[in-house]
Amino acid sequence: MFYTNCNHISVLLDEAIQALNINSTGVYIDGTFGVGGHSKLILSRLAKQGRLLAIDRDWISVKIGEFIAKQDSRFTMIHNVFSKMNKYVENMGLIGAVDGILLDLGMSTLQLNDYSRGFSFMRDGLLDMRMDVSSGQSASEWLSKASLENIAWVLKTFGEERFSKNIAKAIVAERRYKPFTSAIALSKLICDTIPYRNMHKHPATKSFLAIRMYINDELKEIIRVLNDALVMLSPKGRLVVISFNSLEDRLVKYFIREHSCVVSVPSKLPLTNYQIFSKYKNECQLKNMGKLTPSKQEIKRNVRARSAILRYAEKLIL
Ligand SMILES: C[S@@+](CC[C@H](N)C(=O)[O-])C[C@H]1O[C@@H](n2cnc3c(N)ncnc32)[C@H](O)[C@@H]1O
């Protein structure tokens, strides 16, 4: 079956499962099922009474998950974006009772290696870039009508591309002759437009990342799910997030910081720890457990892991 042939190597696999601190009878959510690498390891740690809810917006991942769900009653597979997980958690009566939420952001190798979906700037395919091909607009549709300013903004904001305006101008000029439907045509246009200095990084890397993040609304997805996680998690429940770029990681880092405060009382302040903690109770809902990065051996085995950062936090007992 294609499940075993997709070559996806799960990043920070053991570290993520350790960070979840699995209780064998607990309820867990894998918000980014992919090909199920993390999910399978979570299932192996669960007893009969344990439950795992997995979500993915990609239909191919959902098919893989449904195959597992048929054989394992502890496992449920859902097709949706992870920002909607609270809806399912609420329907199942599990608000405040989830023991761990895992997010392994970005793309699976299954998606990256399927050139027909347009994620790659190295091989040709239809310029689609949607993780869920059944909803939203494709990259090609967006590029055919977006304003020059909007394209430049996306490239700058999500790709931190210095030459965003030059690239946007070139796209708008080129699309007058023919619509952008091919990934390699866009990649070539970018190569011809910007100075080619860094031989280690393809000139289209940042633009492709930016367009993908915009088309899939990736940063807003993270902001929404993080806020809901606070409500879904049980006391001592764990939030574990693996990011692959600085924009994603910053969101996770600041979210955890904002909601975990170390309350230390200056000696002369006439307030007890309890009084201060009560005052900041709403902000102080998490204990920051720190961050982990892949070992040299893991990066050697799987180059995709090189930019990964895992951050985790524990819900406090309030
Ligand atoms: C890096 S892969 C996960 C790999 C997985 N942990 C494994 O070991 O097989 C990321 C997956 O998350 C999915 N994904 C990304 N953003 C999503 C979102 N907002 N909602 C649901 N799924 C999402 C992608 O479709 C992809 O399958």
Side-chain angles (χ1 to χ4, degrees), residues 266-286:
S267 56
K268 287 188 185 133
L269 206 69
L271 288 175
T272 65
N273 249 335
Y274 176 77
Q275 285 167 320
I276 290 186
F277 183 70
S278 309
K279 195 166 167 6
Y280 291 106
K281 204 163 96 182
N282 288 335
E283 289 89 40
C284 304
Q285 297 195 56
L286 293 173

Side-chain angles (χ1 to χ4, degrees), residues 88-130:
Y88 300 94
V89 170
E90 194 171 356
N91 287 344
M92 291 171 164
L94 292 171
I95 291 286
V98 175
D99 297 287
I101 298 174
L102 170 69
L103 299 171
D104 174 18
L105 300 170
M107 317 272 301
S108 70
T109 310
L110 197 66
Q111 293 166 323
L112 285 167
N113 285 356
D114 183 352
Y115 300 118
S116 70
R117 299 180 67 173
F119 292 114
S120 170
F121 44 77
M122 303 288 276
R123 299 275 289 273
D124 206 9
L126 205 65
L127 195 58
D128 191 307
M129 290 202 195
R130 284 172 298 171

Side-chain angles (χ1 to χ4, degrees), residues 130-144:
R130 284 172 298 171
M131 294 188 203
D132 177 0
V133 289
S134 60
S135 84
Q137 63 179 342
S138 69
S140 167
E141 285 163 345
W142 175 66
L143 284 175
S144 69

Side-chain angles (χ1 to χ4, degrees), residues 1 4 32 38 61 72 91 122 158 216 253 258 277 298:
M1 191 188 163
T4 48
T32 52
H38 288 100
S61 292
D72 193 331
N91 287 344
M122 303 288 276
F158 301 116
N216 294 290
K253 179 169 83 179
E258 188 192 335
F277 183 70
E298 176 167 5

